[in-house]
């Protein structure tokens, strides 16, 4: 029960807690008032709970304060000692430093899985070859969904083992066309387009450019499927540069932003400039707005272009990729091979 109280106090957002508030978080049906009071008084003696004197104490026996200040540093001191102690017992490849910095509740939630990972490494050593995430999940914790769907990937990142566990992410394959003339190059350019119409319009022009691939992003799917790229196009010692062209609306910009967090991706400015020369359409005022995504996107444009983009989006207007007709797309790509 003491551990439960500690967890409640660590998660409590305020600096003080009323005794009645504390009671509501605990399963007191199996606990008498005397037992509860004894537990609270022990935390008083340890200095973890400090009485708010101006609020007084109740008249029950044993008597408890109506309100307590929570001494968070002392609470975390116990946790840190536990982490230090366990670090000496676990396999040295398991890193625990992140748990000194993040919400203490993560420690209790993660600990059963950390023990399982320790047992796996002690028995098998670190993996020597890659396997899909569900297979590795079963090996580690007995749950095929753990890595991809139950925060297992985040835990492995916290303990510094995501790369060492050699996990192949499970995601849809990337759909792309290849320019065979560039395969032997060392430096490779890749253009990702959001929509199928644009992909089909540009596919036949690919051999006339210096790009190695034309990739169909399929909206948000590219954010996950980009993880498969090097596996699907395994060119040794290659340097890859990625460009992106999507709808000029809040959703399209947000897809680029999320994708750019995974793998550095430049907006393909010639296509975007071609759109900005057209008249925008109306009808996207209800889309999700992400200010950070827009702030990262705008610096690729001139001041005049940036002002036009912001004004247009604020009015609920947008440019679908389809405002550029097939012949326009093809001609722009022929004339601009990627790097301005």
């Amino acid at each position: 029960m003491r551990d439960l109280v500690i967890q409640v106090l660590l998660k409590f957002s305020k600096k003080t807690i009323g005794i009645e508030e504390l009671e509501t978080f605990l399963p007191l049906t199996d606990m008498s008032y005397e037992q509860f009071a004894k537990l609270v008084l022990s935390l008083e003696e340890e200095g973890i709970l400090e009485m708010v004197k101006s609020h007084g104490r109740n008249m029950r026996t044993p008597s408890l304060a109506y309100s307590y200040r929570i001494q968070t540093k002392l609470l975390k001191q116990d946790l840190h000692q536990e982490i230090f102690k366990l670090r000496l017992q676990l396999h040295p490849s398991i890193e625990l430093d992140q748990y000194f910095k993040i919400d203490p509740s993560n420690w209790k939630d993660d600990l059963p899985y950390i023990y399982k990972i320790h047992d796996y490494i002690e028995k098998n050593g670190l993996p020597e070859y890659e396997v899909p995430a569900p297979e590795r999940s079963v090996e580690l914790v007995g749950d095929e969904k753990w890595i991809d769907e139950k925060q297992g990937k985040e835990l492995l990142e916290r303990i510094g083992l995501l790369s060492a566990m050699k996990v192949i992410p499970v995601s849809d394959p990337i759909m792309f066309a290849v320019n065979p003339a560039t395969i032997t190059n060392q430096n490779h350019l890749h253009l990702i387009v959001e929509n199928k119409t644009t992909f089909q319009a540009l596919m036949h022009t690919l051999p006339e450019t210096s790009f190695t691939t034309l990739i169909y992003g399929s909206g948000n799917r590219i954010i996950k499927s980009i993880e498969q790229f090097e596996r699907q196009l395994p060119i040794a010692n290659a340097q890859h540069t990625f460009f992106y062209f999507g709808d000029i609306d809040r959703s399209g910009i947000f897809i680029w932003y999320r994708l750019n967090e995974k793998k550095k991706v430049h907006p393909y400015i010639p296509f975007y400039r071609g759109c900005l020369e057209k008249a925008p359409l109306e009808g996207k005022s209800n889309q999700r707005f992400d200010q950070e995504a827009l702030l990262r996107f705008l610096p690729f444009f001139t001041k005049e272009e940036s002002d036009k983009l912001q004004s247009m989006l604020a009015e609920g207007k947008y440019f679908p990729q389809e405002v550029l007709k097939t012949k326009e797309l093809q001609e722009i790509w022929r004339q601009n091979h990627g790097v301005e």
Side-chain angles (χ1 to χ4, degrees), residues 5 7 10 27 42 55 60-61 90 94 101 112 137 140 143 171 179 191 194 204 237 249 252 276 279 288 294 311 315:
V5 174
Q7 288 305 305
L10 283 168
S42 69
H55 293 180
R60 301 181 69 177
T61 303
L90 293 175
I94 299 175
K101 307 172 186 177
S137 291
L140 292 175
D143 181 348
S171 55
N179 181 358
L191 175 63
E194 182 180 341
H204 298 295
N237 304 315
D249 58 15
L276 289 171
R288 180 182 185 276
L294 184 60
S311 175
E315 295 171 3

Side-chain angles (χ1 to χ4, degrees), residues 116 120 124 127 129 131 134-143:
K116 289 182 178 182
Y120 170 85
N124 304 289
Y129 55 90
V131 299
E135 181 178 338
R136 188 70 77 213
S137 291
V138 171
E139 290 178 344
L140 292 175
V141 303
D143 181 348

